[in-house]
Amino acid sequence: MLFDDPVYASRLLTLLTLSFHIIYATIGVGVPLMIMIAQWIGIKKNDMHYIMMARRWAKGFVVTVAVGVVTGTAIGLQLSLLWPQFMELAGNIIALPLFMEVFAFFFEAIFLGIYLYTWDRFDNPKKHFLLLIPVAIGAGMSAFFITAVNSFMNSPAGFDIVNGQLVNANPIAAMFNPSMPTKVTHVLSTAYMTVAFMLAAIAAYRLIKGSNHVYHKKALYMTMKIGLVFAIATALLGDLSGKYLAEYQPEKLAAAEWHFETENEAPLIMFGVVDENQEISYAIEIPLMLSILAHGYPSAEVTGLNEFPEEEQPPLIIHYYFAIMVTIGVFMIGLSLVYWFGIRRGWPFVRAQWYRWLIVLGGPLSFLAIEAGWWLAERGRQPWILRGIMTVDQAATTSDYVGHMFILFAGLYLVLGIGTVVVLRKIFKNDPVEKELEKLQGGEPS
Amino acid sequence: MSLELIGISVLWLFLFGYVIVGSIDYGAGFFNAHSIITGKQHILSKVIQRYLSPVWEVTNVFFVFFFVGIVGFFPQTAYYFGTILLVPGSIGLILLAIRGSYYAFESYGARGHKGYAFMYGASGLLIPASLSIVLTISEGGFVSIVDDNPVLDYAALFTSPLTWSIVVLSIAAVLYISAVFLTWYAFKTGDDNATELMRKYAIGWSVPLIIAASGIIYELSFHNEEHFSRMIDLWWMFGLSFLLWIGTVWLLWKRTRYGVAFGLLVGQFALAFFAYGISHYPYLLYPYLTIYEGFTNTAMAISLIIAFILGMALLLPSLYLLMKLFLFDKNYVQGNNSKKE
C-alpha cells in the first residue's frame, strides 16, 4: 500500500512531517513570549532569577529552533513535492500569506541571532530586552500567516471557478477567509498555553528531584499563571471554533460529535465507541450542549452527518481526537487554577510530590492535545484538500518512490528527535541552576 | 518592465543571494571538517565558528524565500518541478536537515564530535550538487510528458556530461567563494595563520572553477543550441565576469585588499549568474514552461510585489544591523567582547 499508492504515501508523509514539526513550531511560537515576560519581570523587579530564567530558556530554545527550521523547510518544500497540483492551484490564490510567512521568519531569525549572541554586549539590559520584541512578533506572525494558509484550505475564499478556470482572484479575501480568525487565535493561544505548561513541567520536575531552589518555585508559579490565562482563552476560542464549524463546515462538527441525524436540542457526546451502524455505546451525553456549542442557544437545530453524501463524510475517528483535546484542555485549566488558588491561600497539597507529578504530566499532555487538535482539524476535512473544490486524490503527486521517501524522512525525524533530547539533557544536566547562579554572582555584580 | 520580469528578477536576485551566503556557509563547514581531519583545526575552527554562529539560520531563509516565491509568482512550476523533483528534492532536504541541526547540536551538546563534523562537511558539498540538478533539468531533454504528467528520465540525467559539469561547477564555486570570504574574514580577525591557509585554498580553487564554467558553455553548445546562441550574444557579460575573476586572484596573490577581492568575486558571480539567467529567458523549464505561461494572475502578482517591497523595508535595516554587530564589529570579530568561553 505504502509503496504502490502515491496518494496514500503522500498523506502519510505529510502527516509524519507535520506531526513532528508542530512540536517544534509550538515551542518556537510560545517560548519567545515566555522569555520576554521573564526578562521583563527580571528587569522590573531587578531579580537575577528571572533574568537567568530567560537566559536558560533561550539556551534550550536554540536547539529546538534549529530543528524547527529544518522541519519547517521540509514541509514547505514537501507541499510542492507531494501535492504539486494543489500548489499549482493554491499558488494562484494563497501565495501571499505563504510569502509573508517567510518575511516573518526572516525577521525573527535575524533578531534571534542578535539576541542570542549579545548577552554580554549591551551595558543597558533594556536594550537587549528590546531585541526580543521582534523575535516574539516574528514568531507570532509566522503562525498567523501559515495558519491563514491552512484555514484557506478549510474554507476557500477569494476566487471563483468558471468553466474550470480560476477567475477574480483576490489574495486579501483569500487570506482573510471565514475560518482564519478562529483558527489563528486558537493556534496562538494553545501554543502559549502549551509552552507555559511545558516550562512548568520542567520546573516541577526539578523540584521533585530535590532541587529546592527558589528559582524553580518562581518559574513554576509564573508559568502556571501564564498557562492558566491562555488555557482559559483557549477554551473560549475553542467555543468560537465550534460555532464557526456549525456555520461553515457542519460535516466536520457532525463527524467529530457523532451527530448523525439533524435535530434540535442536540446533546453533546463525550468519549464512547461507535460501530458501523452508528450505534454509540459507553458515551457520556450532555443534553442540549451541542446546540449551545454550535449556535449559542439550547433549542438550535444542528445539521447531522447523514445530510452529506457518503463520499464527502469525514472519518468518525476524529471524535476521539476531539475528546482527547477537550479533556486535556479542561484538565489543564483545573490543574493550573487549583495550583494558583492553592499557592495564594497556602494550601499545602499543591506543593506535594503527587501534585507536582501531575504538573509534570501536564507538559506532554498539552503537546498531545495540540497533536490531537491538528489531527481533528486535518482529518476532519477529508476527503478534501481544498474543501468543496479539490480532493486529496486529485492533488497528490504522480511520481513514484513516495513510500521510499517516507522511510527516509522517518529515519531523519527519529535522529532529530533523539538528538534534541540528548543535547537538551546535556546542556542542563551539566549546568544546573545552582552552579550558574554561583558563577553569575561570583563573576559580575549586575 | 512587465510583472513577469519583475517577478523572475526578484527571485533570481534571491537565488543569487543564497548562492553567495549558502556557499560561504557550506564551504565553511567543509573547511572545518577538513581541518579536523588534517589536524589543522586549531588554525581554522575559531574563525569559522565565530562567523557561523549568528548567521546559520538566516542563510536558510534565502532558500525558503526562493522556493516559496517561485510557487507564488509562477504556480505552474510547483506542478512541473514538484512532480519531477520528488527524489532529488527529498535528498537535498534531508542533507539540509542534517546540516541545520548540526550547528545547534554541535555547539551546545557534543562539541567536537568527529563523525558529525564530517557529515556536516560532506553535506556542504552534496547539497549544492543535489540542488544544482534543477539547473540541468531546466535546460530540457530530461523530462517527458507521460499521460499528461511530467516524468524525469533519471538514466539520461545521470549519464549526461552536462549534469556532471554543473555538479563540478557548483562544488568548485562553493569552495572558492567560501575560501575567498574566509580569507578576508580571517584577515579582519588578525589571525595570520588562518588567513594564509584560506588564501591558499582560494587560489587553489580558482582554476577548477573557471575550467568548469567554460566546460558548461561548451556542453551547452550541443545540448541546447538556442540557449547557447543566446549566451554568445551576451559574451560581454561573461567576459567582464572573467576579468573580475582575474582581479580577485591577482589581489589574493599579492596579499592585499582582501575586502576588495571579495567584492570583485561577488561582481564576477553576479555577472555570470545574471548572464546565465537572461540567456535562459523566457524558459523556466525548456521547452514546456515559459515565464509567461506559468505566471500567476495580476492581482496576486501585484500583492506579492507590494509584500516584497514592504518586507524588504523591514529586512534591509535588520540585515544591516546584523552585519554591523557581527561581521563588521571589530571587537566581535577579534573575539574581545565575550566574557565567557
Side-chain angles (χ1 to χ4, degrees):
Chain A
M1 200 51 183
L2 182 61
F3 293 98
D4 308 333
D5 182 7
V7 179
Y8 182 69
S10 295
R11 286 183 61 191
L12 273 191
L13 180 49
T14 309
L15 168 76
L16 179 75
T17 304
L18 275 176
S19 297
F20 189 69
H21 176 65
I22 51 173
I23 298 173
Y24 294 89
T26 303
I27 297 174
V29 171
V31 171
L33 185 74
M34 304 303 143
I35 299 177
M36 206 168 125
I37 296 173
Q39 199 166 341
W40 178 244
I41 295 177
I43 293 171
K44 277 273 132 184
K45 289 189 175 171
N46 199 15
D47 184 335
M48 198 61 216
H49 288 145
Y50 289 99
I51 301 276
M52 221 177 68
M53 235 176 260
R55 202 173 175 137
R56 287 174 72 84
W57 289 345
K59 222 188 223 174
F61 184 54
V62 196
V63 177
T64 60
V65 164
V67 181
V69 168
V70 296
T71 52
T73 310
I75 189 62
L77 205 50
Q78 274 178 0
L79 278 178
S80 296
L81 296 177
L82 299 176
W83 309 100
Q85 327 219 25
F86 161 68
M87 283 304 272
E88 185 187 5
L89 178 64
N92 275 303
I93 332 156
I94 202 66
L96 183 64
L98 260 179
F99 196 66
M100 288 166 84
E101 200 255 343
V102 185
F103 278 113
F105 169 41
F106 212 150
F107 195 53
E108 183 195 347
I110 290 173
F111 282 94
L112 184 65
I114 299 177
Y115 176 79
L116 290 173
Y117 293 94
T118 53
W119 274 97
D120 309 314
R121 289 181 64 188
F122 292 107
D123 296 326
N124 184 352
K126 272 189 192 151
K127 265 193 195 163
H128 187 240
F129 169 79
L130 288 180
L131 291 170
L132 270 178
I133 297 173
V135 178
I137 291 179
M141 291 310 269
S142 316
F144 173 88
F145 289 124
I146 207 66
T147 312
V149 175
N150 178 271
S151 58
F152 171 82
M153 296 160 84
N154 279 282
S155 53
F159 65 101
D160 297 307
I161 295 216
V162 177
N163 302 328
Q165 293 294 310
L166 186 141
V167 291
N168 299 334
N170 180 346
I172 305 291
M175 193 160 113
F176 291 91
N177 56 72
S179 65
M180 195 278 285
T182 43
K183 261 198 187 270
V184 167
T185 47
H186 194 68
V187 163
L188 284 174
S189 89
T190 49
Y192 296 137
M193 162 192 151
T194 302
V195 165
F197 287 136
M198 170 188 87
L199 296 170
I202 295 170
Y205 185 75
R206 294 306 307 156
L207 286 171
I208 291 170
K209 285 291 160 189
S211 165
N212 209 20
H213 202 283
V214 66
Y215 167 92
H216 296 302
K217 289 180 182 164
K218 283 178 182 171
L220 183 57
Y221 186 59
M222 185 184 110
T223 48
M224 287 298 269
K225 221 161 58 177
I226 299 172
L228 174 63
V229 171
F230 283 110
I232 293 172
T234 298
L236 296 175
L237 293 164
D239 180 59
L240 288 180
S241 304
K243 291 181 172 48
Y244 153 79
L245 283 182
E247 178 80 28
Y248 292 94
Q249 279 180 291
E251 76 280 11
K252 189 194 266 186
L253 185 71
E257 306 297 349
W258 290 345
H259 182 66
F260 300 111
E261 299 301 331
T262 302
E263 59 182 346
N264 302 327
E265 303 180 358
L268 181 74
I269 291 165
M270 289 298 288
F271 314 111
V273 286
V274 73
D275 64 16
E276 60 269 31
N277 302 322
Q278 303 187 343
E279 289 297 327
I280 300 164
S281 29
Y282 311 112
I284 302 171
E285 238 187 72
I286 310 171
L288 311 179
M289 199 56 206
L290 186 58
S291 288
I292 296 174
L293 183 73
H295 298 288
Y297 57 100
S299 59
E301 183 183 272
V302 183
T303 316
L305 192 61
N306 293 344
E307 305 284 322
F308 299 90
E310 205 163 313
E311 65 278 5
E312 289 180 18
Q313 292 178 2
L316 293 180
I317 189 174
I318 63 172
H319 175 79
Y320 302 114
Y321 303 146
F322 181 77
I324 292 173
M325 174 181 85
V326 173
T327 312
I328 293 174
V330 171
F331 171 75
M332 291 314 294
I333 292 178
L335 190 74
S336 51
L337 190 65
V338 169
Y339 180 82
W340 177 67
F341 250 105
I343 291 287
R344 288 179 66 105
R345 295 289 169 89
W347 297 340
F349 77 88
V350 293
R351 297 175 200 270
Q353 291 291 73
W354 66 269
Y355 204 84
R356 284 178 178 161
W357 273 118
L358 284 181
I359 296 172
V360 172
L361 190 66
L365 277 182
S366 302
F367 277 100
L368 178 63
I370 295 256
E371 297 280 0
W374 273 113
W375 295 334
L376 163 68
E378 296 305 289
R379 291 199 74 184
R381 70 179 149 94
Q382 289 304 312
W384 304 107
I385 192 164
L386 273 177
R387 183 182 176 271
I389 293 168
M390 187 185 253
T391 62
V392 291
D393 305 51
Q394 295 163 340
T397 182
T398 49
S399 178
D400 297 327
Y401 308 113
V402 185
H404 299 80
M405 296 302 121
F406 177 86
I407 291 174
L408 266 183
F409 277 101
L412 172 72
Y413 300 147
L414 191 71
V415 171
L416 291 180
I418 294 173
T420 316
V421 175
V422 170
V423 172
L424 284 178
R425 271 181 63 101
K426 230 180 198 164
I427 295 176
F428 292 106
K429 225 179 176 160
N430 296 338
D431 200 13
V433 176
E434 290 79 2
K435 220 166 102 188
E436 195 170 336
L437 260 180
E438 232 168 68
K439 216 163 43 189
L440 280 174
Q441 282 163 349
E444 49 191 327
S446 72
Chain B
M1 202 150 131
S2 66
L3 290 172
E4 289 90 343
L5 265 180
I6 295 178
I8 196 71
S9 307
V10 162
L11 292 173
W12 203 241
L13 191 68
F14 257 77
L15 193 58
F16 176 68
Y18 182 63
V19 167
I20 296 295
V21 294
S23 294
I24 293 174
D25 188 48
Y26 295 141
F30 176 79
F31 288 123
N32 188 40
H34 184 258
S35 70
I36 289 174
I37 290 162
T38 54
K40 291 178 181 153
Q41 196 185 6
H42 54 284
I43 307 180
L44 284 186
S45 66
K46 245 167 118 185
V47 169
I48 289 174
Q49 300 260 334
R50 200 171 299 143
Y51 164 73
L52 283 181
S53 302
V55 299
W56 57 266
E57 214 189 335
V58 176
T59 309
N60 210 39
V61 190
F62 278 88
F63 178 56
V64 178
F65 189 98
F66 176 75
F67 74 67
V68 169
I70 197 161
V71 173
F73 279 106
F74 304 98
Q76 283 196 29
T77 54
Y79 172 63
Y80 281 98
F81 283 105
T83 309
I84 300 164
L85 288 176
L86 178 73
V87 175
S90 296
I91 292 172
L93 270 178
I94 286 174
L95 292 170
L96 273 172
I98 292 173
R99 254 192 95 74
S101 61
Y102 164 84
Y103 199 77
F105 286 7
E106 159 79 8
S107 44
Y108 293 96
R111 197 183 278 273
H113 190 290
K114 275 195 181 166
Y116 221 157
F118 177 71
M119 264 158 65
Y120 185 61
S123 65
L125 294 186
L126 293 174
I127 292 169
S130 73
L131 296 180
S132 63
I133 283 185
V134 182
L135 290 179
T136 322
I137 292 171
S138 72
E139 289 298 335
F142 306 109
V143 175
S144 49
I145 304 288
V146 180
D147 299 335
D148 277 345
N149 290 311
V151 175
L152 180 62
D153 184 349
Y154 286 98
L157 182 67
F158 286 113
T159 52
S160 159
L162 180 68
T163 310
W164 297 106
S165 311
I166 289 183
V167 167
V168 170
L169 177 71
S170 70
I171 292 175
V174 160
L175 295 173
Y176 176 65
I177 293 172
S178 184
V180 175
F181 176 81
L182 288 171
T183 308
W184 176 41
Y185 195 75
F187 179 71
K188 278 169 71 99
T189 67
D191 189 335
D192 292 338
N193 289 333
T195 312
E196 207 37 46
L197 189 60
M198 289 320 300
R199 173 183 164 270
K200 223 169 71 195
Y201 290 147
I203 293 173
W205 281 105
S206 62
V207 176
L209 173 87
I210 218 73
I211 293 173
S214 324
I216 286 168
I217 298 178
Y218 176 70
E219 303 281 353
L220 270 180
S221 67
F222 307 110
H223 189 86
N224 184 339
E225 283 170 35
E226 193 181 334
H227 190 186
F228 177 73
S229 70
R230 291 188 61 109
M231 276 170 107
I232 296 300
D233 293 344
L234 289 168
W235 65 270
W236 57 275
M237 285 180 86
F238 291 103
L240 218 55
S241 171
F242 181 71
L243 290 179
L244 292 176
W245 173 77
I246 293 179
T248 311
V249 178
W250 173 255
L251 289 174
L252 287 172
W253 190 259
K254 287 299 216 181
R255 288 198 177 80
T256 54
R257 296 177 167 243
Y258 293 129
V260 177
F262 182 69
L264 294 183
L265 172 141
V266 173
Q268 174 212 332
F269 275 88
L271 277 167
F273 198 75
F274 277 89
Y276 175 85
I278 294 167
S279 60
H280 202 274
Y281 171 87
Y283 290 104
L284 291 167
L285 173 61
Y286 185 88
Y288 299 111
L289 189 61
T290 69
I291 64 170
Y292 298 103
E293 292 158 0
F295 199 59
T296 184
N297 56 76
T298 320
M300 180 54 85
I302 291 171
S303 53
L304 286 180
I305 290 169
I306 293 172
F308 176 76
I309 292 169
L310 294 177
M312 276 300 143
L314 198 68
L315 283 185
L316 289 177
S318 324
L319 272 175
Y320 173 75
L321 182 67
L322 184 77
M323 304 242 260
K324 198 170 148 296
L325 280 171
F326 294 105
L327 276 184
F328 302 116
D329 185 290
K330 230 180 166 156
N331 280 327
Y332 177 78
V333 294
Q334 295 180 353
N336 291 339
N337 68 293
S338 115
K339 287 171 192 161
K340 39 167 196 158
E341 289 167 340

